[in-house]
Amino acid sequence: MPLVHLEAPDARSPGSGGARPARADARRNREKLVDAARSAFAAADDTVPLEGVARAAGVGIGTLYRHFPTREALVEAVFAAELDAVADSAPGLLAQFPPEVALRVWMDRYAAFVAAKRGMLGTLRAGWASGAIATPATRERLTAAIADILAAGVRAGTLRADVEPGDITTMVFGVFHPVADDGTPDRTGRVLDLVLDALRARAGN
């Protein structure tokens, strides 16, 4: 690990509001690092250099290591942020779109979640196996988001009432991942359209 240069612990002037500016700066730096790492991991097929993440975030490598002492810590933070974004997006999508459209947009967000994992999958798997990274309730959280959208679609009469949210999760997990690994974005979109078409309400269901 490279040497970490520690900045002065308190550079604020008297009467400047205590430690709040420093905490705000630290929070912004952490967010910038997570955003930069998210983009780097999504674009990479191999290990992402942490120096490049720090440079993209506009901070020094010492700042990165203060927030994330290990690669596993950074990967865990990015994964958690991506999982939160996709799992918590259902209410906002339902406020913007009809349920069937919200479900299709949600699938695109899930696609982005999978893409973000591409460059950090090896670290995630090793971290989960060793216990260095907590195993998240990914399937449960995604199924809960799907359940909200499906229920709205059933009420609106646009999505099938004879499927369970877990059925849709199985479809997305079982169909999307192989396509995402070796398919083009256009092909991925076509497959997701087919999944949605299978879920549309029709006479008799």
Side-chain angles (χ1 to χ4, degrees):
M1 180 184 298
L3 292 175
V4 176
H5 173 68
L6 296 178
E7 297 171 356
D10 188 358
R12 66 188 184 279
S13 60
S16 62
R20 290 178 185 172
R23 287 199 298 268
D25 287 345
R27 185 170 58 252
R28 282 193 295 270
N29 284 339
R30 189 182 193 281
E31 291 170 354
K32 288 192 294 185
L33 284 163
V34 170
D35 286 344
R38 178 191 290 117
S39 298
F41 289 137
D45 293 318
D46 204 348
T47 302
V48 172
L50 297 187
E51 292 82 359
V53 172
R55 187 164 53 251
V59 302
I61 190 65
T63 298
L64 185 149
Y65 279 114
R66 276 196 300 282
H67 288 282
F68 305 107
T70 65
R71 175 178 294 274
E72 289 79 6
L74 177 60
V75 165
E76 185 174 21
V78 173
F79 182 85
E82 288 295 295
L83 179 58
D84 287 346
V86 69
D88 297 340
S89 63
L93 293 177
L94 286 170
Q96 288 182 268
F97 305 109
E100 70 279 10
V101 177
L103 181 58
R104 184 62 182 83
V105 175
W106 185 90
M107 289 178 184
D108 284 336
R109 294 198 177 185
Y110 178 77
F113 171 68
V114 173
K117 291 197 304 181
R118 183 169 53 201
M120 58 182 178
L121 196 54
T123 301
L124 280 170
R125 286 172 174 166
W128 289 335
S130 68
I133 300 177
T135 304
T138 307
R139 190 183 188 98
E140 293 82 356
R141 293 191 63 191
L142 298 178
T143 300
I146 289 171
D148 289 342
I149 301 174
L150 178 62
V154 170
R155 289 193 299 271
T158 56
L159 293 175
R160 296 174 59 160
D162 62 339
V163 296
E164 298 291 332
D167 297 339
I168 303 175
T169 306
T170 298
M171 292 173 69
V172 171
F173 276 37
V175 175
F176 179 82
H177 281 274
V179 173
D181 287 342
D182 61 10
T184 65
D186 286 346
R187 185 185 178 204
T188 299
R190 291 196 303 272
V191 172
L192 293 178
D193 287 340
L194 288 172
V195 170
L196 179 61
D197 189 58
L199 297 170
R200 292 183 186 277
R202 295 177 176 85
N205 61 30

